[in-house]
Amino acid sequence: MAQPDSKKIFFENLSGAGKAIAVLTSGGDAQGMNAAVRAVVRMGLYVGAKVYFIHEGYQGMVDGGDNIREATWESVSSMLQVGGTVIGSARCKEFRTHEGRLKAAHNLVQRGITNLCVIGGDGSLTGANLFREEWSGLLTELVEQGLIEEDAIQKYSALHIVGMVGSIDNDFCGTDMTIGTDSALHRIIEVVDAIMTTAQSHQRTFVLEVMGRHCGYLALVSALACGADWVLIPEMPPEDGWEEKMCQKLSATRSRGTRLNIIIVAEGAIDRHGKPITSSFVKDLVVKCLGFDTRVTILGHVQRGGTPSAFDRILASRMGVEAVLALLETTANTPACVVSLCGNQSVRLPLMECVQMTQEVQKAMDQKRFEEAVKLRGRSFENNLKTYKLLAHRKPETELPTSNFNVAVLNVGAPAAGMNAAVRSAVRVGISEGHKMFAVSDGFEGFCKGQIKEIKWADVGGWTGQGGSLLGTKRTLPAKHVDKIAEQMRMHNINALLVIGGFEAFESLLQLYEARATYEEFCIPMCMLPATISNNVPGTDLSIGADTALNAIVETCDRIKQSASGTKRRVFIIETMGGYCGYLASVGGLAAGADAAYIFEEPFDIRDLQANVEHLTEKMKTSIQRGLVLRNENCNDNYTTDFIYQLYSEEGRGVFDSRKNVLGHMQQGGAPSPFDRNFGTKISAKAMQWITKKLTETFRQGAGRVFANTEDSCCLLGMRRRALVFQPVVQLKGETDFVHRIPKEQWWLKLRPLMKILAKYKTSYDVSDSGQLEHVVRNRPKESDASVAM
């Protein structure tokens, strides 16, 4: 666990006493908004501030009355899993007028509110900033009209604004991910997966229209996540003559034996001359030119609905807490800021800088400067587009470079959703780079047995949506079979190795690196991609598969909590996987609204268990009907799931009863989430480009072979805060607890106090890692491409 440092600030230094904070949701709704509202309310109350709901967005602020109500701890219970926004949202023409804003200011001053947390899109946030700039003038007018006392000008002199972006389109510059985007992708991918089965049955082509009037993010990322044949987005209209090229592509795909085609169209898709490209136009084109049986599906508001994903709940909770911290630290000279996500880190950016950059995108598109529009969207969007082009459009054999290098790819360890997407990406990028790609079945066990065969472009079609490991995977480490593996590498002339897996994959690369001294066959570029639901690999904040497992945990917890609806008070004890790593229990607990999460990294004893029972008992005596406690499978040898269940059952007798559930291997199964499909796809493409670079650098012309013997030729590619980083595995040894198979320091431990705060525990929170006000960076350095945000 990270040691406390001098930067650690406790909430005693950040008191909200005497402050009044209001939270509103404005513009369109988005899944996860309720999680953000809940976090703002509970964090605000926690620091001693008064917190108010403003119902129906700016309309409620203008109308006042019962639309502005004080919030309590219980008033945000059971809203975490609800989609949309329970405090309502509305478009408000009146707030756009000076008179409307005057009414709104009067309603706020009457309640002493000078801190606003606005959850909405760029229009809502721009309106908030204008309101802030006009604030002192509005108060002067109210005094002149005799509506407020003169001393109110001094008392409520400044209005402080902090924004959070809630928008499924992910169309706001400055943040990698907006609240609601991940959930919308879940809805799209669920539909695509369902459509694929019927399309295959009938050999059909499906044209899917997704939301995105001005931004093609949903269309682009869903195309990447399902391996669509063609995508049409407003930021990058197709070149003239695209109709013929698209039909040639569809025809070529069918001729190779594929039984379906998927085309994804953003609702705002246009051609190079600004003419709309509709889904019906695309359908008629395919029918006319190819005669394929073609159907159109317009997803519409399905994308806005449903339960928020685990990612959105965690993002919204983190952002909500960060927004309250920003309001507590703000001064009269602090500009209105928006809380954003950069990679895996919270940042605060000046609101108007982000709004201006968002408007610049539209201006660039209107002026047909499409390349610039893509760049302005940010590095993540640009990288998505490049990766899609790389994977979807196969170059003719004659145009491919000929490297004459053989690259092997294999899965090691337990299966994790997203592994297949990573393999598909590696194979296709490898072929595009001119390599011959080899697939190894059953990990290093299959390697030593010679289960190695060439894998072609078409062999990995449709792999992105498949769970588990289609190559097969084993936990076997290479040390026992190192001579046989070396022999197979020599036989197949393997020049580079891509290993996709968990802690066993990390140990395997260490063993192969050490074997270089004895076997020259291992003196080749080797790269590992972290793929494990446990998220216990050193050198990375996130692993492929962990997001899918979190969603499985959260969905199950939602159902389990719902089963207690209408019954007497009940506490559920849920056991999660993860080995000795408490990531799933802790972050799953934050996303599911747990009251406690027991993990190995944070030792606990009988006194802690007793305190948790007493805390729940107190909560149960109010209006709270159910409690949720998560336990990591290896958190303690003696305090087992059965022990904790029996303790809660005994101590809660007369107040609540208890139930237990061991989630087991359902956390490893199922179709990968959109996040895992895209994370796997993008980091695998990046790894293959690194391998190509290393192969070129280490090829010895005279000997006619590759020879790589340096530390930096055997790396793990991981997400670290804001950047994707290649780290030599030998350098990660010192950061690793090999006995318990976990990193010595884990970033998510800083999220644990959030879960406790939102569950009404008194605790300390390290704000040294909280966002600092920064300026919008138009294009970050290439190495800091934060693909965590899909």
Side-chain angles (χ1 to χ4, degrees):
M1 209 182 301
Q3 293 300 310
D5 58 35
S6 58
K7 288 185 184 174
K8 184 169 275 196
I9 305 168
F10 300 106
F11 283 123
E12 289 77 24
N13 306 100
L14 288 172
S15 172
K19 293 200 175 189
I21 298 170
V23 59
L24 71 145
T25 53
S26 177
D29 64 313
Q31 310 96 316
M33 278 184 166
N34 290 323
V37 170
R38 171 181 177 267
V40 170
V41 169
R42 291 196 167 175
M43 188 63 168
L45 293 173
Y46 188 87
V47 297
K50 267 191 173 183
V51 187
Y52 291 85
F53 290 134
I54 299 178
H55 291 265
E56 311 308 332
Y58 287 118
Q59 190 66 57
M61 196 192 293
V62 172
D63 294 342
D66 280 348
N67 287 306
I68 305 176
R69 283 180 237 161
E70 195 169 342
T72 64
W73 196 274
E74 287 73 29
S75 62
V76 291
S77 295
S78 304
M79 67 154 59
L80 192 60
Q81 66 270 28
V82 180
T85 165
V86 297
I87 60 173
S89 182
R91 312 276 181 194
C92 179
K93 287 182 182 176
E94 203 174 347
F95 189 76
R96 293 178 187 174
T97 67
H98 183 78
E99 292 73 21
R101 292 192 291 278
L102 192 65
K103 283 185 192 174
H106 185 218
N107 288 326
L108 294 187
V109 169
Q110 281 182 314
R111 294 163 179 82
I113 298 167
T114 55
N115 296 280
L116 270 187
C117 185
V118 182
I119 307 165
D122 60 339
S124 305
L125 298 177
T126 306
N129 191 62
L130 176 63
F131 190 39
R132 172 185 164 276
E133 288 172 350
E134 290 182 347
W135 181 255
S136 59
L138 294 170
L139 294 197
T140 304
E141 279 187 60
L142 291 170
V143 169
E144 288 168 359
Q145 292 176 20
L147 293 170
I148 60 172
E149 298 296 325
E150 198 162 335
D151 66 345
I153 292 181
Q154 190 64 36
K155 194 176 177 184
Y156 307 118
S157 59
L159 179 68
H160 305 298
I161 303 280
V162 172
M164 283 183 274
V165 191
S167 164
I168 68 165
D169 293 335
N170 203 31
D171 56 355
F172 192 81
C173 293
T175 185
D176 286 343
M177 206 68 162
T178 57
I179 296 166
T181 305
D182 186 67
S183 301
L185 286 169
H186 272 258
R187 300 294 93 78
I188 295 167
I189 294 304
E190 282 163 15
V191 171
V192 172
D193 285 352
I195 277 173
M196 276 181 156
T197 54
T198 184
Q200 277 185 318
S201 302
H202 297 277
Q203 292 197 57
R204 278 184 180 147
T205 295
F206 267 88
V207 182
L208 258 83
E209 184 183 301
V210 302
M211 281 184 165
R213 204 173 306 139
H214 305 293
C215 179
Y217 186 87
L218 289 178
L220 177 58
V221 174
S222 51
L224 201 51
C226 71
D229 295 280
W230 203 268
V231 65
L232 294 156
I233 59 172
E235 290 89 346
M236 188 49 70
E239 299 288 346
D240 289 346
W242 65 272
E243 298 92 339
E244 189 182 340
K245 284 181 185 174
M246 184 185 78
C247 289
Q248 283 174 355
K249 166 95 189 299
L250 299 179
S251 181
T253 309
R254 282 290 176 95
S255 67
R256 289 195 293 269
T258 305
R259 292 178 60 84
L260 80 156
N261 298 111
I262 301 283
I263 301 163
I264 296 183
V265 183
E267 61 180 329
I270 52 171
D271 66 16
R272 288 268 152 181
H273 310 287
K275 184 184 169 190
I277 301 174
T278 63
S279 48
S280 56
F281 173 81
V282 176
K283 178 207 165 182
D284 294 343
L285 179 69
V286 173
V287 171
K288 181 184 167 189
C289 296
L290 299 173
F292 290 173
D293 184 3
T294 308
R295 299 284 190 274
V296 172
T297 299
I298 299 172
L299 269 65
H301 283 74
V302 163
Q303 295 156 88
R304 280 195 193 280
T307 302
S309 66
F311 183 99
D312 271 331
R313 298 186 200 194
I314 296 156
L315 175 66
S317 298
R318 287 174 74 181
M319 298 296 102
V321 168
E322 187 67 40
V324 173
L325 288 179
L327 285 171
L328 293 182
E329 294 170 10
T330 195
T331 66
N333 301 321
T334 310
C337 75
V338 62
V339 178
S340 301
L341 183 76
C342 178
N344 190 31
Q345 195 177 17
S346 300
V347 293
R348 299 175 198 170
L349 299 170
L351 193 154
M352 290 317 293
E353 283 187 24
C354 297
V355 168
Q356 283 158 12
M357 196 163 166
T358 304
Q359 290 167 351
E360 278 181 44
V361 178
Q362 192 57 49
K363 202 182 292 180
M365 286 161 61
D366 292 343
Q367 294 171 1
K368 297 185 171 56
R369 292 181 283 116
F370 298 115
E371 297 283 349
E372 191 181 333
V374 169
K375 279 187 166 61
L376 286 167
R377 277 276 180 235
R379 185 66 70 177
S380 182
F381 188 95
E382 196 179 2
N383 197 41
N384 277 318
L385 188 56
K386 283 178 184 171
T387 308
Y388 176 76
K389 286 177 177 176
L390 204 57
L391 297 173
H393 302 292
R394 184 182 183 182
K395 290 179 183 174
E397 298 285 336
T398 50
E399 289 180 30
L400 290 175
T402 49
S403 70
N404 297 318
F405 291 125
N406 295 345
V407 181
V409 58
L410 68 157
N411 296 154
V412 177
M419 276 182 164
N420 297 321
V423 172
R424 169 187 176 267
S425 178
V427 168
R428 292 198 168 178
V429 173
I431 291 169
S432 297
E433 304 268 327
H435 309 318
K436 193 180 274 191
M437 297 300 296
F438 287 85
V440 182
S441 301
D442 297 335
F444 283 107
E445 196 172 300
F447 211 135
C448 72
K449 293 175 182 173
Q451 292 170 221
I452 305 162
K453 63 175 184 180
E454 190 179 350
I455 187 164
K456 300 286 184 70
W457 185 282
D459 296 337
V460 291
W463 277 34
T464 47
Q466 302 283 323
S469 165
L470 292 172
L471 287 184
T473 182
K474 292 280 175 74
R475 293 180 183 270
T476 309
L477 297 177
K480 290 180 183 175
H481 314 285
V482 73
D483 52 339
K484 289 182 181 174
I485 293 168
E487 186 186 331
Q488 292 295 335
M489 291 185 84
R490 197 163 52 249
M491 280 172 60
H492 292 89
N493 190 27
I494 301 298
N495 307 119
L497 206 56
L498 180 66
V499 181
I500 303 164
F503 202 86
E504 289 89 354
F506 172 63
E507 289 182 298
S508 296
L509 242 63
L510 278 173
Q511 290 179 1
L512 294 180
Y513 176 80
E514 284 159 10
R516 281 177 169 179
T518 315
Y519 299 92
E520 279 199 358
E521 287 80 4
F522 301 124
C523 293
I524 59 172
M526 295 187 276
C527 187
M528 177 205 158
L529 302 181
T532 166
I533 68 163
S534 303
N535 200 29
N536 64 330
V537 177
T540 188
D541 289 355
L542 296 166
S543 301
I544 300 163
D547 183 71
T548 305
L550 275 178
N551 277 291
I553 290 166
V554 168
E555 284 167 22
T556 309
C557 287
D558 285 351
R559 291 182 186 184
I560 285 170
K561 286 201 292 186
Q562 196 177 43
S563 73
S565 181
T567 66
K568 58 185 178 179
R569 294 181 176 94
R570 186 165 283 169
V571 174
F572 295 94
I573 318 294
I574 313 289
E575 183 186 299
T576 68
M577 292 173 95
Y580 285 97
C581 180
Y583 176 81
L584 291 179
S586 295
V587 182
L590 179 61
D595 295 278
Y598 301 117
I599 62 169
F600 168 77
E601 292 93 339
E602 201 171 278
F604 60 96
D605 58 24
I606 195 69
R607 289 180 293 275
D608 297 309
L609 290 168
Q610 184 63 33
N612 293 152
V613 173
E614 287 169 5
H615 183 80
L616 265 172
T617 304
E618 282 303 306
K619 283 172 73 174
M620 290 287 182
K621 286 175 182 172
T622 62
S623 60
I624 305 291
Q625 293 295 310
R626 46 195 184 266
L628 183 66
V629 175
L630 271 63
R631 178 191 177 273
N632 164 254
E633 58 185 350
N634 287 346
C635 66
N636 190 290
D637 290 340
N638 297 311
Y639 299 134
T640 61
T641 302
D642 281 333
F643 177 91
I644 293 172
Y645 160 68
Q646 286 164 6
L647 175 73
Y648 273 75
S649 297
E650 182 60 35
E651 296 298 318
R653 198 187 296 275
V655 181
F656 60 82
D657 64 358
S658 302
R659 295 287 185 274
K660 65 173 177 174
N661 196 304
V662 178
L663 299 184
H665 281 79
M666 64 168 290
Q667 295 158 85
Q668 263 182 338
S673 68
F675 183 96
D676 279 330
R677 297 182 195 202
N678 281 62
F679 189 47
T681 298
K682 283 166 71 172
I683 67 168
S684 190
K686 196 172 182 75
M688 283 307 302
Q689 287 166 338
W690 177 87
I691 282 173
T692 299
K693 183 168 167 275
K694 287 290 176 190
L695 284 168
T696 308
E697 287 173 2
T698 58
F699 181 70
R700 293 185 172 181
Q701 204 71 43
R705 52 163 295 196
V706 171
F707 187 84
N709 202 21
T710 54
E711 286 184 1
D712 67 353
S713 62
C714 183
C715 284
L716 178 147
L717 174 57
M719 164 56 63
R720 282 245 160 133
R721 291 165 72 86
R722 301 190 188 192
L724 278 173
V725 189
F726 289 95
Q727 301 146 98
V729 290
V730 73
Q731 290 178 17
L732 293 172
K733 277 176 80 173
E735 299 179 21
T736 309
D737 173 353
F738 284 93
V739 175
H740 299 104
R741 296 158 57 86
I742 54 174
K744 288 178 182 174
E745 287 194 16
Q746 301 184 86
W747 69 273
W748 53 264
L749 285 167
K750 288 185 177 179
L751 297 183
R752 281 184 62 78
L754 297 193
M755 186 192 74
K756 293 176 184 176
I757 288 163
L758 299 177
K760 215 174 183 178
Y761 284 92
K762 283 289 173 191
T763 187
S764 297
Y765 179 49
D766 179 2
V767 299
S768 62
D769 205 34
S770 66
Q772 301 301 314
L773 194 63
E774 302 178 11
H775 290 285
V776 177
V777 180
R778 287 173 181 271
N779 254 334
R780 296 190 183 99
K782 206 160 191 177
E783 67 269 18
S784 66
D785 169 32
S787 299
V788 59
M790 292 192 295

